[in-house]
Amino acid sequence: MAAESTECVDKQPARSRVRRWWAWTPLVGLGVAVLAGAALRVGGQRAAAEVIWAAVTVVALLPAAWSMLRSLWRRQFGVDVIAVLALAGALAVGEYLAGAVIAVMLATGRSLEEYAQRRATRDLRALLARAPRTARRRGADGAIEVVPLDRVEAADQLLVGPGDVVPVDGTVDEAATLDESVVTGESQLVQRAAGETVASGVVNAGAAFGMRATRNAAQSTYAGIVRLAEEATAHKAPMVRLADRYAAAFVPFTLVLAGLAWLLSGDVVRAVAVLVVATPCPLLLATPIAIVSGLSRVARRGVLVRDGGSLELLGRARTLLVDKTGTLTAGRPRAAETVVAPGGDRNEVLRLAASVEQLSPHVLAAALVAQARERGLALAEPTDVTEEPGRGVSGRVDGRLVNVGQFTGELPEWANRARARTELAGWSAVWVSAEDEVFGAILLEDPVRPDARRTVRRLRAAGLRRIVLVTGDRPATAAQVAATVGVDDTLARCTPQEKVDRVRAEADRAVTVMVGDGVNDAPALAQAHVGVAMGATGASASADMADAVLTVDRLDRLADAVEIARYARRIAVQSAAVGMGLAVLAMLAAAAGRLPPVVGAFLQEGIDVLVILNALRALRGGLRRRDVAPRTRELLARAAAEHQAVRGVLAGLRDTADLVATDPASPRCLPAVRETHRRLTEQVLPHEAAEDRQLYPALAEPLGSGEATSTMSRAHVEIRRQVDLLGVQLGQTDDGRLRPDQVPDLLATLYGLDAVLRLHLAQEEEEFFTLDPADPVPERR
C-alpha cells in the first residue's frame, strides 16, 4: 500500500507538466499552420495556402462562437463579439489570411489568460482535514473507545488528549488549558475550570481532560465555521475580466462604424476590414501579460496570488480589514519582562522557571526556554517534574522545589503591582514560587510586529483609504494594538459570524481585502473581494480559503503585493487604452477604404507588439521602497542585536527605580543605582553614539534624506542628558545612602530614562530595522 501511494505521488508532477504543455497546444498548432500556409503561398500554391488559412480561421471561429453564445445566454457581453464577427467576415469575403492572423492572436490571448486561471486552487480540503474525525468516548464501565465523530451525542462523556482538537461543544469535567486562537483569535492560552464550556475546534494545550458533550458534531462551533466558509465561497461574485469592462463602449462603437462603412460605401469588405483592425488583441494580449507579470513579481516577493482576477481586485482595493493575532502581532508569546521580589535575581528566576519548563509541551514553556537561552543562561535538568492542568508545572532544580504557572495564594505588594501592570498592558503572568511563596514572575506578551506600523502607512500610500482591525481578542488589547499601528476602526471580541458580517458590509461599499490567519478567519477571507492569509504561520484552512497567501512571515510583503498589483493594473489599463486608441485610428482608415483586411490584420499585429512591450514593463518597477546597501544591512543587523543587550539594561533600570520607590533607605538601594548608571554608561551610551556616527548617516539614502533620522538623534541627546543627570545625582549622595530629599528627583530621572529608552527602541525597530526586506528572489533590474 505504501509503495502504491508513493507511486501515485510521484506521478502527480509528471501529469501536471503534461497538462501545462497540453494547454499551449492550440496556440502552437495554429501558429505552425499559418506558417505552413505562408510557405505554400511563397511556393506558388495559393489555393492550398488559402485552404489551410481558412481551416485555421474555422478552427478559431467555432470555439469563439460557442463561448460568445454562452456569454450572451448568461447576459454577459464581451469583446469576443468583435472577434467572432471578424473571423466570420473574413471567411465570408475570402480574406483567409486575415482570418488566420486573427485566429493566432486570439489563441495567444486565450492561452495567456488560461495560464493565469490555472493558478486557482481554492477548496475546503484543509479546513475539512483539520476537523476531527473521531472522538475518545468513555463507556459505562469506564473504558475508553475511539468512535466516529457522527456517533457522538449530547451527554456523552469524552476524553481529550494532549494536543487533540476538541471534537464537539461541551463542558469540561476538570481544569483544562486550551489554545482557542483558531476559533476566537485570542492569542493567550485559556484556563477553563471544571463546569465551564468549551467549543469544538480549540486545541488542548495541556494534559488530558474529561468533558461532557452538549451538542453533536453537526451542531457544534467548528461545523458552523465550515458552513460559513462554504456559504461565503458559494455566494462570492464571479470575477469580471478587465477587458470586458471596456467592451461596454468599444463593441457598440465598432459595430456602428462597420455598419456605416458598409452602408455608405456598399462594400462589405470595408466592414470586414473595420472588424479585423478592431479585433481587441490589445485587450486580449496586453491585459493578461501585465497581470501575469504582476503575479510572477508578487510570487518572488513571497506572496502567492491565486489568479489574475484576484490580483486585479487587489490593485483596486480601497478597504482593508485585518485580524490581530498572528497578523499585526507575532501570534506567539514572548517573555516581555521578568519581575522579582525585592533583593531577588532576575536571571536566576528566569533560569529556574525555564529549567522546570523544559519538559512541558506548552507554548508558554517554549517562550520561557527560548528567552533563557537568548540570555545565555545555563539550564539545569529538573527532577520530579509534574504538570497539573490549569495550575502549571513543578519540579526540583538544584534540590529546590519550584512551581511555575498559576498562584492561588495571597500575593505580596510587589507582585500585586506587577499583576496590575500586566492587566493594563494586556499581557499574561507566569508566577514562579517555592514553598507557597512567590519570588518572581515572568510577564508574557504577544508583541506587535515591528513592520506593522510601516506596512499600514505604505498601504495607505498605495491607495487604501480605510483600515479596520477585527479580532476576537479583548477590547483593551485590541485598542492598544490599533493605536500602535494606526488603523481607522476597531471591532473586538468578534465571532466568526460577526467577522463575516463586517466584511460583507465593507465589501458593499468598496473593494475590500481581508487579512488573517487561523480557522476563525477562513469564512471572512472567503467573503472578502480578496482574502489574504498569513500562510507562513497561520492555519492551512485560512490559506485554502484565501485568494492570496503570504508564504513568508513578513507583513510588509502585503504592502509590496498591493503596490505591485496597482502598478500591474495601471500598466494593463494603459496598454489597453493605447492599443484601443491606435485601433480606432486604423478602424477609421479601414472605414474610408484605405486599409484592406490583410493589411489591417498585420497592422493590428504591429499594434499588438507595441502594447505587449509596454505590458512587459509590469515585470519591474512600481515598488516605493528603496534598496538598502549591504553595508547598511550589516549595520542594521548589528544594531538589532545590540538592542537585546540594551533591553537587559532596561530591565535592571526598572527594578532599580522600583527599589528606590519602595525602599530608598535600604543598603542595597544606592549600589543598585550605581550599577545601573555604570551599565547605562558602558553599554547604552556607546550603542547610541555608534548609531549616530555610523548607522544614521548610512540610512540617509534609503530614507531619502538625512533629516529622517534627526528626531532619533535628538532622542540620543536626551538619553545622554538623563544619564549624565543620574551621574550628578549620584555624586551628591552622602555616607553611601540616599537622602529623602534626593528620592523624588532620582525617581524622575530613572523612570524618565525607562520611558525614553523604551520608546526610542520601539521607534528604531519600527522605522529603521524594517528597512531591510531582503528579497526571497532578487528582482531583475
Side-chain angles (χ1 to χ4, degrees):
M1 178 64 76
E4 180 182 348
S5 176
T6 303
E7 182 181 353
C8 292
V9 171
D10 291 340
K11 289 179 179 178
Q12 291 302 316
R15 291 174 180 173
S16 178
R17 286 194 296 269
V18 169
R19 284 195 296 268
R20 288 198 299 268
W21 282 109
W22 181 255
W24 293 95
T25 301
L27 173 61
V28 175
L30 291 176
V32 170
V34 171
L35 293 176
L40 290 173
R41 181 69 179 82
V42 172
Q45 301 182 38
R46 179 173 181 174
E50 290 190 345
V51 167
I52 292 178
W53 289 335
V56 169
T57 305
V58 171
V59 168
L61 175 60
L62 293 178
W66 176 247
S67 176
M68 181 193 71
L69 291 174
R70 285 190 304 173
S71 297
L72 292 175
W73 179 260
R74 294 193 298 267
R75 298 182 180 180
Q76 296 175 357
F77 187 68
V79 292
D80 293 338
V81 173
I82 301 176
V84 170
L85 293 177
L87 290 168
L91 285 175
V93 300
E95 296 286 350
Y96 302 125
L97 177 56
V101 172
I102 296 170
V104 172
M105 290 187 291
L106 292 175
T108 303
R110 189 175 297 110
S111 297
L112 288 170
E113 189 171 31
E114 289 176 356
Y115 169 76
Q117 293 300 326
R118 282 197 301 271
R119 297 167 60 95
T121 57
R122 180 187 297 126
D123 54 58
L124 293 174
R125 284 177 298 178
L127 184 63
L128 298 175
R130 189 186 177 281
R133 297 288 190 273
T134 60
R136 294 185 177 94
R137 186 170 64 184
R138 195 187 306 273
D141 57 354
I144 303 298
E145 59 174 341
V146 178
V147 298
L149 196 60
D150 57 8
R151 288 177 53 187
V152 175
E153 300 293 341
D156 281 352
Q157 293 293 325
L158 307 176
L159 179 67
V160 182
D164 284 356
V165 177
V166 175
V168 296
D169 294 352
T171 57
V172 294
D173 296 333
E174 53 200 294
T177 304
L178 304 172
D179 176 4
E180 299 184 347
S181 60
V182 293
V183 173
T184 67
E186 175 71 55
S187 59
Q188 300 173 6
L189 295 185
V190 177
Q191 307 293 330
R192 298 294 182 192
E196 291 193 65
T197 60
V198 60
S200 62
V202 304
V203 179
N204 179 12
F209 65 88
M211 62 170 290
R212 183 179 65 86
T214 55
R215 295 178 180 175
N216 59 31
Q219 298 171 336
S220 291
T221 302
Y222 194 86
I225 293 176
V226 173
R227 285 194 299 272
L228 283 172
E230 291 173 335
E231 180 183 357
T233 303
H235 289 87
K236 190 166 184 177
M239 174 59 201
V240 178
R241 292 188 308 170
L242 177 67
D244 289 340
R245 287 199 289 273
Y246 291 94
F250 189 70
V251 172
F253 172 77
T254 300
L255 297 179
V256 170
L257 184 60
L260 288 174
W262 185 6
L263 179 64
L264 297 177
S265 68
D267 185 3
V268 70
V269 176
R270 290 194 183 187
V272 172
V274 170
L275 293 174
V276 167
V277 294
T279 302
C281 293
L283 295 177
L284 298 176
L285 289 176
T287 300
I289 285 175
I291 297 299
V292 171
S293 297
L295 288 172
S296 175
R297 288 191 66 200
V298 297
R300 293 200 299 268
R301 302 297 303 162
V303 185
L304 298 180
V305 181
R306 296 194 186 276
D307 53 53
S310 298
L311 187 79
E312 184 200 341
L313 282 171
L314 190 62
R316 295 194 293 124
R318 290 293 180 269
T319 300
L320 172 69
L321 293 99
V322 57
D323 181 51
K324 180 187 74 68
T325 305
T327 304
L328 292 176
T329 66
R332 299 178 297 273
R334 183 186 72 180
E337 186 179 344
T338 303
V339 182
V340 297
D345 185 334
R346 179 189 308 277
N347 287 335
E348 180 64 10
V349 169
L350 180 58
R351 186 187 74 85
L352 291 173
S355 296
V356 173
E357 293 279 17
Q358 287 181 94
L359 303 181
S360 174
H362 285 224
V363 292
L364 297 182
L368 298 184
V369 173
Q371 181 76 0
R373 287 174 176 166
E374 283 180 7
R375 295 192 181 181
L377 302 181
L379 303 185
E381 183 177 350
T383 59
D384 301 330
V385 177
T386 59
E387 186 163 355
E388 186 178 352
R391 292 291 304 276
V393 182
S394 63
R396 290 192 177 276
V397 180
D398 300 334
R400 184 181 186 183
L401 183 62
V402 178
N403 302 300
V404 183
Q406 302 298 314
F407 185 76
T408 56
E410 184 177 352
L411 292 174
E413 183 180 353
W414 68 267
N416 280 318
R417 290 197 304 270
R419 182 172 61 181
R421 188 161 76 250
T422 299
E423 293 174 352
L424 287 174
W427 298 347
S428 58
V430 175
W431 300 102
V432 186
S433 60
E435 299 176 355
D436 295 329
E437 181 180 354
V438 171
F439 60 87
I442 300 169
L443 311 185
L444 299 170
E445 65 172 339
D446 182 15
V448 175
R449 291 175 180 267
D451 59 343
R453 186 174 182 84
R454 174 178 289 274
T455 299
V456 168
R457 290 203 303 266
R458 286 184 58 196
L459 289 169
R460 292 191 188 279
L464 287 166
R465 299 169 183 168
R466 178 171 169 78
I467 300 178
V468 181
L469 173 64
V470 289
T471 177
D473 214 335
R474 295 169 292 180
T477 304
Q480 290 180 6
V481 173
T484 300
V485 302
V487 300
D488 299 305
D489 194 9
T490 305
L491 187 62
R493 290 204 185 279
C494 276
T495 65
Q497 179 63 63
E498 288 172 336
K499 285 188 179 182
V500 170
D501 293 341
R502 185 59 179 264
V503 171
R504 184 182 294 118
E506 297 288 348
D508 288 341
R509 293 191 288 268
V511 177
T512 299
V513 178
M514 170 69 193
V515 185
D517 79 330
V519 176
N520 64 307
D521 296 322
L525 294 179
Q527 183 64 45
H529 288 103
V530 182
V532 181
M534 300 292 291
T537 56
S540 58
S542 61
D544 273 1
M545 294 307 301
D547 302 287
V549 179
L550 295 177
T551 60
V552 292
D553 192 20
R554 295 188 61 128
L555 187 61
D556 61 350
R557 300 302 188 200
L558 175 61
D560 290 347
V562 172
E563 290 178 355
I564 290 172
R566 290 197 184 284
Y567 182 71
R569 184 177 184 276
R570 185 165 64 250
I571 292 296
V573 171
Q574 182 185 87
S575 300
V578 171
M580 289 167 59
L582 294 175
V584 168
L585 295 177
M587 290 162 59
L588 294 174
R594 304 293 184 182
L595 201 63
V598 173
V599 177
F602 283 101
L603 177 61
Q604 182 63 267
E605 284 284 11
I607 295 174
D608 293 344
V609 171
L610 290 177
V611 298
I612 287 172
L613 290 176
N614 186 68
L616 290 175
R617 291 170 51 216
L619 285 171
R620 60 182 180 180
L623 282 176
R624 297 174 183 268
R625 71 176 187 87
R626 297 178 174 88
D627 288 330
V628 178
R631 172 58 178 166
T632 306
R633 290 184 178 182
E634 292 176 7
L635 293 173
L636 286 169
R638 184 192 307 169
E642 290 175 355
H643 269 208
Q644 295 300 322
V646 174
R647 290 190 184 280
V649 177
L650 265 177
L653 173 61
R654 181 58 184 257
D655 281 349
T656 299
D658 290 345
L659 179 60
V660 173
T662 57
D663 193 8
S666 169
R668 298 182 298 104
C669 191
L670 187 57
V673 177
R674 293 190 187 279
E675 173 63 15
T676 296
H677 180 259
R678 183 192 67 79
R679 296 186 68 185
L680 287 167
T681 304
E682 296 179 1
Q683 293 181 256
V684 176
L685 292 186
H687 164 76
E688 309 292 0
E691 287 184 331
D692 262 328
R693 186 175 60 255
Q694 298 176 337
L695 179 60
Y696 289 0
L699 290 174
E701 182 177 353
L703 290 174
S705 168
E707 294 298 317
T709 60
S710 61
T711 56
M712 297 294 108
S713 293
R714 178 64 182 85
H716 287 172
V717 172
E718 178 61 20
I719 291 168
R720 175 171 288 279
R721 189 186 73 82
Q722 294 277 5
V723 173
D724 291 343
L725 178 60
L726 181 61
V728 171
Q729 291 169 338
L730 283 172
Q732 297 173 348
T733 56
D734 299 325
D735 302 326
R737 292 182 180 273
L738 294 175
R739 299 193 311 271
D741 62 296
Q742 289 181 293
V743 172
D745 288 341
L746 188 59
L747 283 176
T749 302
L750 291 172
Y751 283 125
L753 268 171
D754 179 76
V756 172
L757 272 171
R758 289 183 188 276
L759 178 61
H760 179 65
L761 293 181
Q763 287 177 325
E764 283 190 327
E765 290 166 0
E766 291 176 3
E767 299 296 331
F768 302 155
F769 295 176
T770 56
L771 283 175
D772 184 19
D775 294 353
V777 178
E779 293 208 302
R780 299 177 178 86
R781 300 281 179 191

